[in-house]
Amino acid sequence: MPTLRMTTPRLLALRTLLAEPERERYGLDLALEAGLEPGTVYPILVAFENAGWLVSREEDADPHTTGRPRRRYYRLTPTGVSAARRAQAASEQRRRPAGAREGVAW
């Protein structure tokens, strides 16, 4: 399984996906919720899927009936949930200054 470099956009996408790990989301929905541009989120989704963190499916809808292209829905895998939580924890650890403690230091 490839190791993914965690960028801010990837962490934002993971945070959004982890909010409801069982929920299927389509790319534009995820982009809006994460505060990302669609052109940014789709390569992230492909990378996560290639790493085994996501599974996807194309909706079974007629574009002529819906008036829009078919959507591809993405959902975190159990491996993806674990990896996303580890990535978020590592990111939070890096942001904390060395020697910082929880709570107020008076």
Side-chain angles (χ1 to χ4, degrees):
M1 196 169 295
T3 303
L4 296 176
R5 187 173 146 261
M6 281 300 118
T7 61
T8 299
R10 285 181 175 184
L11 288 166
L12 290 170
L14 287 177
R15 182 178 65 190
T16 303
L17 288 163
L18 280 173
E20 296 178 75
E22 299 297 319
R23 180 177 158 202
E24 287 186 318
R25 298 168 187 270
Y26 60 96
L28 183 58
D29 174 54
L30 180 66
L32 293 173
E33 283 189 49
L36 298 169
E37 294 294 324
T40 300
V41 83
Y42 286 105
I44 291 169
L45 294 172
V46 169
F48 288 167
E49 189 170 20
N50 288 340
W53 294 14
L54 293 176
V55 291
S56 69
R57 68 172 182 86
E58 191 173 88
E59 76 177 333
D60 186 26
D62 181 10
H64 293 52
T65 304
T66 61
R68 59 171 172 73
R70 285 190 180 105
R71 292 177 176 159
R72 178 160 293 280
Y73 286 91
Y74 299 86
R75 183 180 46 79
L76 282 168
T77 63
T79 300
V81 170
S82 297
R85 288 184 178 143
R86 281 192 310 273
Q88 282 194 322
S91 172
E92 289 171 13
Q93 191 68 26
R94 282 191 304 274
R95 287 188 194 152
R96 210 173 283 142
R101 298 175 193 218
E102 295 295 320
V104 179
W106 295 102

